[in-house]
Amino acid sequence: MTDATADATADSFILTLSCPDRPGIVAGVANFLFEHGCNILEAQQFDDTESGRFFMRVSFERVSGEAALESLTADFAAVADTFRFSWRLRLRSQKRKVMLLVSKFDHCLADLLYRWRIGEIPMEITAIVANYPRETYAHLDFDGIPFHYLPITKATKMEQETQLWELFQKTGSEVAVLARYMQVLSDGLSAKLSGRCINIHHSFLPGFKGAKPYHQAHARGVKLIGATAHFVTSDLDEGPIIEQDVERITHQDSAEALVRKGRDIERRVLARALAWHLDDRVLTNGHKTVVFRD
């Protein structure tokens, strides 16, 4: 089976689920879809023998015009109860609403905007939120996208986060992306955005924290640099990892070269993580994730 024909049409759906592992899960899902006149385009599954949980993603199309999203959802609830599913059924043509957050460094933001404009990452951008004023991004095209300048200091952090959360709710956003948003979210806001907030940060072996991490890496003579995209939790940079990538470097690379190469890694890692999340390919599994790559 292939997902190549599953274009974002009103008749295309994505079902994701997780549950305690037991016999008959795949058969139960397949029989339900068959009985409701649906055609499976792609099915991926994973049995985690350590946790005893089963994960599945199914892309299918509606063959019968009677199987609307509402009726499919209502009817599938009985199957879900039988197997104790945690599940989600989504019409693939419905674009997810995404809020982008950024600070001074805008390379990830610029990359996501480009991929969005050419249709590579289907989404509805609800807002761009920054703790720097609009003129910082004068070279970027925000046409049609609401921009919100929410400055922050130690004294105003909680007030700023309250505004941020209210904006997230008001715009109906489903996902927040920290596109190099260089502010640590409070435990309270992290909890509210649990499973809905993706961050990108540099990751090295060994790890370098604080200012100028690439310069620190250069001073230590590292041979690999990389980046990690993960869900945000109250534990700083410890959330479930979605995607990572690295690039080999040599003694000939300057600190500036590491910064340049690091930007490229961060861009592509964040873009892949967001695209997979929006396409329901990322399921959380405790402190880890199951990623059904395309």
Side-chain angles (χ1 to χ4, degrees):
M1 291 178 288
T2 176
D3 204 23
T5 59
D7 294 330
T9 68
D11 296 325
S12 182
F13 301 84
I14 299 175
L15 170 67
T16 56
L17 62 90
S18 65
C19 64
D21 190 28
R22 54 171 282 188
I25 299 173
V26 175
V29 173
N31 288 337
F32 172 86
L33 295 177
F34 172 74
E35 291 170 357
H36 286 73
C38 301
N39 180 43
I40 295 176
L41 302 170
E42 178 189 28
Q44 295 171 288
Q45 62 195 59
F46 173 66
D47 179 8
D48 185 354
T49 56
E50 293 184 1
S51 66
R53 292 193 65 81
F54 179 85
F55 301 83
M56 190 175 190
R57 177 186 184 274
V58 183
S59 171
F60 64 93
E61 65 182 1
R62 179 185 59 195
V63 176
S64 170
E66 298 176 356
L69 176 63
E70 293 77 11
S71 60
L72 279 174
T73 301
D75 292 348
F76 190 72
V79 180
D81 289 341
T82 299
F83 292 98
R84 295 166 55 195
F85 289 160
S86 295
W87 60 287
R88 173 187 175 92
L89 178 62
R90 183 174 67 88
L91 193 63
R92 200 169 194 180
S93 61
Q94 292 180 342
K95 296 179 181 179
R96 308 278 290 278
K97 295 184 177 182
V98 180
M99 176 182 290
L100 303 176
L101 288 80
V102 64
S103 291
K104 184 176 181 180
F105 300 110
D106 60 9
H107 52 283
C108 287
L109 174 64
D111 182 72
L112 292 179
L113 290 176
Y114 173 74
R115 294 176 191 268
W116 166 67
R117 292 193 186 281
I118 66 173
E120 182 178 318
I121 301 182
M123 59 181 168
E124 179 184 337
I125 301 177
T126 59
I128 295 173
V129 179
N131 59 325
Y132 282 77
R134 176 64 181 88
E135 51 266 27
T136 307
Y137 320 99
H139 54 290
L140 296 181
D141 180 11
F142 290 172
D143 184 38
I145 306 174
F147 177 84
H148 301 268
Y149 172 42
L150 300 182
I152 184 172
T153 65
K154 289 184 179 180
T156 63
K157 181 177 178 63
M158 296 309 297
E159 178 184 347
Q160 192 259 13
E161 285 200 347
T162 298
Q163 292 179 288
L164 183 59
W165 174 242
E166 290 176 349
L167 183 62
F168 187 85
Q169 294 179 294
K170 181 180 179 180
T171 58
S173 298
E174 302 169 78
V175 183
V177 179
L178 308 187
R180 290 304 303 270
Y181 181 69
M182 306 305 291
Q183 296 292 325
V184 178
L185 302 186
S186 68
D187 290 352
L189 185 56
S190 295
K192 291 176 181 177
L193 293 173
S194 178
R196 297 184 291 172
C197 186
I198 298 174
N199 186 32
I200 182 70
H201 71 86
H202 58 84
S203 58
F204 300 104
L205 295 176
F208 298 101
K209 298 181 179 180
K212 296 189 174 181
Y214 290 104
H215 291 75
Q216 295 180 53
H218 179 261
R220 289 285 298 275
V222 301
K223 304 307 179 188
L224 288 173
I225 62 172
T228 299
H230 65 94
F231 286 118
V232 171
T233 64
S234 57
D235 295 323
L236 181 62
D237 295 336
E238 297 291 336
I241 294 171
I242 303 172
E243 173 64 340
Q244 293 178 296
D245 204 352
V246 296
E247 185 168 325
R248 183 165 292 279
I249 60 172
T250 74
H251 60 276
Q252 295 179 316
D253 288 300
S254 64
E256 289 71 24
L258 267 61
V259 172
R260 173 175 54 80
K261 293 182 178 182
R263 284 197 298 260
D264 288 338
I265 305 172
E266 291 168 9
R267 281 191 289 251
R268 63 180 184 254
V269 169
L270 181 58
R272 285 198 295 259
L274 178 58
W276 292 340
H277 179 65
L278 295 180
D279 202 26
D280 299 292
R281 294 183 177 275
V282 183
L283 284 73
T284 55
N285 181 20
H287 296 296
K288 302 185 291 185
T289 61
V290 173
V291 181
F292 293 121
R293 297 183 56 167
D294 53 5

